[in-house]
Amino acid sequence: MCSPRGGRGGGGAPPPPPHDALGAVVAQESGFEAVWSSSLEVSAARCLPDASLLSMAEYLQAAANMQKALSIPVVADCDTGYGNSMNVAHMVHEYQDAGITAVCVEDKLFPKMNSFVGGSQALLPDSEFAHKIETAKAAQDGDDFFVIARTEALISSLPLSEALSRCHRYADAGADAVLIHSKSKKKDQILEFLDEWSGRLPVVVVPTTYPDWHIDDVERAGVSVVIYANQGLRATVSSLRSTFRSIYETGDSTELEDRIASVEDIFSLQRLADWRKLDV
Ligand code: SPV
Ligand code: MG
């Protein structure tokens, strides 16, 4: 799920990350203005690690399913672009053909590992990643396509100066926005980045480890898009766990009925009434 800047009635709020079309529709219903198709969530939905195990086609299918169900854009997490610059060009062609208008690629090596997994998170040399960004922009058809360049410099424990120089390099290469990722428990690193960056391109953040940052303050700090990248998945797991445990322990679902969505609610999310009009 993403919240673009100004959201919530003001003009923009970023995307939450649902892992399927149903979750995406619930995010849209909540008022978000875009939906993040998260590699972590899409992998977790298959109960697989977020480690480049799924293919581009599988990530694309998940993002395209979301986009078909939505009237707001999907921002597709495309990891490293699934290989080298040739893979990036192919990715852009395929995602655009599927109606996706925004992709995010990150400067880690392929195969990548989720950013919050400990251990080494090696990065591609900035010149090679800049070439991927140039390739992505050259591969897009028309103007209505947004390429977010994500640096994992801070995730790799490199200094802020490295994150900044990488983002400037990616901006020079034609990126439409930069995503500065951090695993710090405090937002200070991001604030320092924003201070030095001086608004050269829109900035995207993912406040997973520093959640205590109200959207109004995020906006005031100069961030354009906030991605709530895994709260939907984590809520789903907690809810499923307590639901299944309750049924197993009590022997029926009576206690839950007021707390879980009704079957009619599901029919409504599926737009069943519209579908039935076709069945004359
Ligand atoms: C994702 O949601 O897959 C992301 C964000 O890329 S993170 O999990 O923090 O890497
Ligand atoms: Mg990801």
Side-chain angles (χ1 to χ4, degrees):
M1 169 163 49
C2 298
S3 222
R5 188 176 188 177
R8 300 181 318 118
H19 52 270
D20 57 22
L22 186 69
V25 167
V26 174
Q28 175 174 281
E29 190 184 71
S30 304
F32 286 91
E33 295 176 15
V35 165
W36 173 245
S37 175
S38 152
S39 66
L40 173 64
E41 293 216 346
V42 171
S43 307
R46 296 271 304 270
C47 218
L48 290 170
D50 179 20
S52 299
L53 296 181
L54 298 182
S55 67
M56 182 204 77
E58 289 168 300
Y59 284 116
L60 172 57
Q61 181 74 68
N65 286 345
M66 290 179 202
Q67 190 62 78
K68 275 184 256 177
L70 294 171
S71 54
I72 55 175
V74 165
V75 179
D77 175 5
C78 292
D79 284 346
T80 62
Y82 310 109
N84 63 16
S85 290
M86 289 196 293
N87 297 86
V88 167
H90 176 56
M91 174 204 96
V92 169
H93 298 152
E94 295 294 305
Y95 274 70
Q96 251 196 317
D97 278 358
I100 306 288
T101 54
V103 294
C104 177
V105 280
E106 66 196 49
D107 57 5
K108 285 212 286 264
L109 294 182
F110 175 87
K112 70 78 191 259
M113 179 56 74
N114 182 267
S115 303
F116 298 124
V117 177
S120 124
Q121 294 275 4
L123 301 192
L124 208 58
D126 59 353
S127 56
E128 284 181 44
F129 188 71
H131 184 58
K132 282 190 178 181
I133 297 296
E134 273 164 15
T135 305
K137 291 307 292 176
Q140 77 181 54
D141 184 16
D143 295 332
D144 188 19
F145 193 74
F146 208 74
V147 176
I148 302 169
R150 161 172 164 177
T151 186
E152 295 280 290
L154 301 179
I155 295 289
S156 295
S157 304
L158 294 168
L160 183 67
S161 54
E162 177 71 19
L164 279 160
S165 75
R166 281 180 172 261
C167 286
H168 280 296
R169 192 93 198 240
Y170 307 156
D172 293 342
D176 297 295
V178 294
L179 189 159
I180 175 76
H181 202 9
S182 166
K183 59 184 176 188
S184 170
K185 299 258 183 285
K186 294 189 178 155
K187 55 185 176 293
D188 305 22
Q189 264 190 333
I190 301 292
L191 289 172
E192 280 174 50
F193 176 91
L194 290 164
D195 203 37
E196 302 265 335
W197 180 248
S198 307
R200 182 174 176 197
L201 278 183
V203 173
V204 183
V205 299
V206 187
T208 301
T209 54
Y210 49 97
D212 182 20
W213 201 10
H214 190 277
I215 185 69
D216 294 343
D217 297 325
V218 179
E219 274 184 60
R220 265 192 290 274
V223 171
S224 295
V225 176
V226 182
I227 298 176
Y228 298 101
N230 49 44
Q231 287 81 357
L233 172 68
R234 289 154 60 203
T236 301
V237 169
S238 299
S239 178
L240 291 177
R241 192 170 272 145
S242 71
T243 299
F244 295 152
R245 191 170 290 152
S246 169
I247 296 172
Y248 188 80
E249 285 171 2
T250 64
D252 64 49
S253 66
T254 319
E255 212 171 79
L256 294 170
E257 290 301 327
D258 290 342
R259 286 190 277 133
I260 58 180
S262 65
V263 174
E264 287 69 29
D265 191 1
I266 306 298
F267 289 163
S268 160
L269 291 168
Q270 291 168 311
R271 298 176 48 245
L272 177 63
D274 293 339
W275 283 99
R276 291 201 74 189
K277 286 183 199 144
L278 302 174
D279 186 20
V280 285

